[in-house]
Structures are given as C-alpha cells and as structure tokens.
C-alpha cells in the first residue's frame, strides 16, 4: 500500500509533482498475493540469470562457438539479462519490502532501458534471421558475408537504432506538466504509464509510441518474415529430404525464440487495445511481468537442448572447471 502525506492532495493541482517522484503499486487487485507471486517470479529471474550467464560463458570460452550465429546468441542472452534486471529487482523489492517509491528521473531511466532493450532484443532476432538466411540461401558466401567487421557493424546499428528510437521519449515525457499524485498501477515504469500521469495533452506521446513500435518491432517482424519466406523457398528446392530436414533443424531454435518473443508481446498489445475493458488490468500487468522473465529463462534451455554444439561446449567448459578445481 502506498502511504502519502496528508497535505499532498491539496497542493498537487497547483504545482509540478515530479519532485515527489512516482509510486509503483505493483499488481492492482492482487496486492494480497504479492508475496506469493514474488516466489515464481524470483525463481524465474534467478533461472534467467543463471541460464543466460552460463550460455554467455560457454560461447566466450569455446573457440568453436566464435561464429556469427553464436555471437548473435550471446548478444540476445546479454539483452535478456539486462531486460529482466531492469524490472525484476524493483518489482521484488516492492513485493517484499513495500518499496513502491521511485524518483521521477529514476522512473524515466527505468522506462528508457526497458524499451531500449526490448527494441535491441528485436533487432538481434532480426540479425539472427539474416544469419540463417545467408547460411541456407548462400552457404558458400557465408564466411565472406558475415565477417567480424560486418558483425561489428550490425551490433553498432542495433544499439544506435535502439537509442535513436527511444531517447526522444525522455524529452517527450519531461516536457509534460505533472499536477497529480504520481501513482502508477504497475510494477515498473513504461512510456504511456508515465505519460498518463500528466495533466497535459499527450497526443504526441501516443503517436510517438505507435511510430516507435512500427519502426522497430513492426519492421523487424516484416523483415524476419521475408527472410524466412526466402529460407523456406531455398529449403524446398533442395534435392533430398535429409538435406531439407537438416536445413530446417538449424532454424528450429531460432523460430522457437522468435515465437516466444513476439507472440506474447503481440497478444498483450491486442488484448490491451481490443479487450482492455473486458480483461482485468491485473491480467495485463501480470503478463507484462511474466514476459520479462519467461523468454529470458527459456531461451538458454531452447538453444541448449536443440543445439548440439552448445551442449557439447557446456560439457567441456564444466569438465575443465572440475579438472582445474582438483
């Protein structure tokens, strides 16, 4: 529960309330279950940290995995760790300690990194789709196309694009006037959640949010779909069934990760847009919290189980650790 000063309501309409900060009330309607909900969320968060940490260490420690596909995978794992870490510690502190207050600048910082990392995650998935496209459609040119320099440029473009798309949101929120008590019915800060606290016209923020989504995630989905259309066309032209099965199996893990990333996000967006009044608000917020821990938790499992090279690399890394400890 958020405790506010008794005299705060009298003056909020006449002053800017940014100095008072924001209050994240958690999952409205499920406050009595916060402690119980924190147990699976914390477990999944720890599993995500451990799984992605091991995955990154395996890729870095095994020279045989220093290939574009695995470099992009380590980038995805890093973004997943940072995305879940930008939300879960504050949410768990709220659930366990009632630490609902966050400064306005702190809220903006959290908002920026959540959206920045989400856009970066999407861009990495696009880069991985391009990697599979080159590997299957132009296998003889794979090493000459995806060189270290090209991978570096893709990484730079990924981070630059995410920054350019999301950085204006800070100024668009700072320009607004805030005259209410800044209570956010969520466990973390996000762009429209902060904008709705304002007493100003937020039309620009609404259109900006739509444009940012279309230019990042929307465009990435289209380009990934185009890549896989070309991949499928190339696969079904292969002469033998075994060759087709082998080619498709190399894409299996990536397709699983894509579905795990985009399907819940799209479901959440459409459910909010078209079923916002019929679906309780706590369902949307609970889904948002699950979304930042479930994909990061499952991605290392998907690649570890389905990719023989990673599984063998993990076994070799742990066997080396055991030998060195003796």
């Amino acid at each position: 529960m958020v405790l506010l000063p008794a005299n705060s309501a009298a003056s909020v309409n006449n002053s800017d309330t940014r100095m008072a900060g924001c209050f994240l009330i958690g999952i409205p309607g499920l406050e009595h279950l916060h402690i119980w909900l924190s147990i699976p969320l914390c477990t999944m968060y720890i599993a995500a940290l451990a799984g992605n940490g091991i995955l990154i260490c395996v890729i870095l420690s095994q020279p045989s995995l220093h290939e574009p596909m695995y470099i992009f995978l380590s980038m995805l794992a890093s973004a997943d760790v940072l995305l879940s870490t930008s939300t879960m510690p504050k949410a768990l502190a709220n659930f366990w300690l009632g630490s609902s207050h966050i400064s306005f600048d702190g809220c903006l910082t959290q908002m920026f990194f959540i959206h920045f990392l989400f856009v970066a995650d999407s861009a990495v998935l696009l880069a991985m789709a391009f990697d599979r496209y080159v590997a299957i459609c132009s296998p003889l040119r794979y090493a000459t196309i995806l060189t270290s320099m090209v991978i570096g440029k893709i990484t730079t473009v990924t981070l630059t694009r995410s920054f350019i798309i999301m950085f204006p949101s800070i100024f668009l929120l700072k320009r607004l006037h805030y005259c209410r008590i800044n209570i956010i019915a969520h466990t973390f800060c996000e762009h429209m959640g902060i904008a709705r606290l304002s007493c100003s016209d937020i039309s620009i923020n609404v259109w900006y949010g739509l444009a940012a989504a279309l230019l990042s995630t929307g465009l990435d989905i289209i380009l990934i779909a185009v890549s896989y259309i070309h991949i499928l066309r190339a696969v079904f032209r292969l002469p033998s069934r075994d060759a087709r099965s082998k080619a498709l199996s190399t894409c299996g893990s990536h397709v699983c990760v894509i579905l795990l990333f985009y399907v819940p996000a799209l479901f959440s967006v459409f459910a909010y847009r078209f079923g916002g009044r019929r679906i309780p608000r706590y369902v949307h917020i609970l889904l948002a919290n699950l979304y930042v821990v479930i994909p990061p938790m499952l991605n290392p499992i998907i690649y570890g189980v389905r990719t023989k090279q990673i599984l063998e690399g993990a076994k070799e890394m742990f066997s080396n650790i055991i030998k060195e400890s003796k």
Side-chain angles (χ1 to χ4, degrees), residues 65 72 180 317 322:
L65 298 180
F72 290 138
R180 305 186 187 99
M317 184 186 75
I322 292 171

Side-chain angles (χ1 to χ4, degrees), residues 6-282:
N7 60 348
S8 61
S11 60
V12 290
N13 290 328
N14 298 320
S15 61
D16 194 315
T17 57
R18 282 181 290 187
M19 294 298 294
C22 302
F23 295 91
L24 297 164
I25 64 172
I27 305 176
L30 297 181
E31 290 89 351
H32 60 293
L33 296 176
H34 275 180
I35 293 294
W36 295 106
L37 289 171
S38 69
I39 297 173
L41 289 174
C42 181
T43 303
M44 288 186 284
Y45 174 56
I46 293 172
L49 292 181
N52 286 286
I54 291 171
L55 182 61
I56 293 169
C57 290
V58 169
I59 293 172
L60 291 178
S61 65
Q62 302 301 311
S64 61
L65 298 180
H66 294 175
E67 298 178 4
M69 173 183 172
Y70 303 111
I71 293 172
F72 290 138
L73 180 56
S74 67
M75 290 168 56
L76 181 68
S78 300
D80 281 344
V81 167
L82 294 173
L83 179 61
S84 57
T85 300
S86 65
T87 56
M88 274 299 106
K90 179 60 182 175
L92 293 174
N94 193 349
F95 292 161
W96 292 336
L97 307 173
S99 178
S100 60
H101 182 264
I102 184 172
S103 68
F104 187 80
D105 287 338
C107 197
L108 290 181
T109 302
Q110 186 187 49
M111 177 276 303
F112 171 78
F113 279 106
I114 289 170
H115 293 307
F116 172 86
L117 292 165
F118 181 85
V119 174
D121 248 338
S122 182
V124 173
L125 289 175
L126 175 59
M128 295 171 77
F130 176 68
D131 169 80
R132 292 299 85 202
Y133 166 76
V134 175
I136 292 174
C137 298
S138 301
L140 298 179
R141 299 174 57 203
Y142 182 81
T144 58
I145 293 175
L146 285 171
T147 61
S148 298
M149 183 177 292
V150 171
I151 294 172
K153 290 179 179 178
I154 291 174
T155 303
T156 302
V157 169
T158 295
L159 297 175
T160 303
R161 187 192 73 154
S162 302
F163 182 83
I164 290 173
I165 289 175
M166 295 317 308
F167 191 65
S169 64
I170 296 175
F171 296 99
L172 289 175
L173 290 170
K174 276 184 169 290
R175 72 179 180 86
L176 300 175
H177 177 62
Y178 298 87
C179 60
R180 305 186 187 99
I181 298 170
N182 298 326
I183 298 176
I184 301 176
H186 213 304
T187 56
F188 55 81
C189 300
E190 46 91 24
H191 177 249
M192 288 310 301
I194 300 173
R196 291 192 182 98
L197 298 174
S198 170
C199 304
S200 309
D201 181 15
I202 61 170
S203 300
I204 295 177
N205 297 74
V206 173
W207 286 108
Y208 161 79
L210 179 61
L214 291 175
L215 291 172
S216 57
T217 308
L219 183 60
D220 291 346
I221 290 173
I222 293 172
L223 293 175
I224 289 171
V226 171
S227 296
Y228 270 94
I229 288 171
H230 287 289
I231 288 171
L232 290 174
R233 287 176 59 186
V235 167
F236 289 117
R237 287 175 184 164
L238 295 174
S240 68
R241 185 176 179 180
D242 289 341
R244 290 195 294 269
S245 298
K246 184 177 180 180
L248 288 174
S249 67
T250 63
C251 301
S253 299
H254 185 235
V255 171
C256 290
V257 170
I258 287 173
L259 295 175
L260 195 61
F261 183 81
Y262 287 116
V263 171
L266 292 174
F267 172 80
S268 180
V269 169
F270 286 115
Y272 184 79
R273 295 294 180 187
F274 302 108
R277 295 186 179 181
R278 292 190 297 272
I279 300 175
R281 182 165 178 77
Y282 66 80

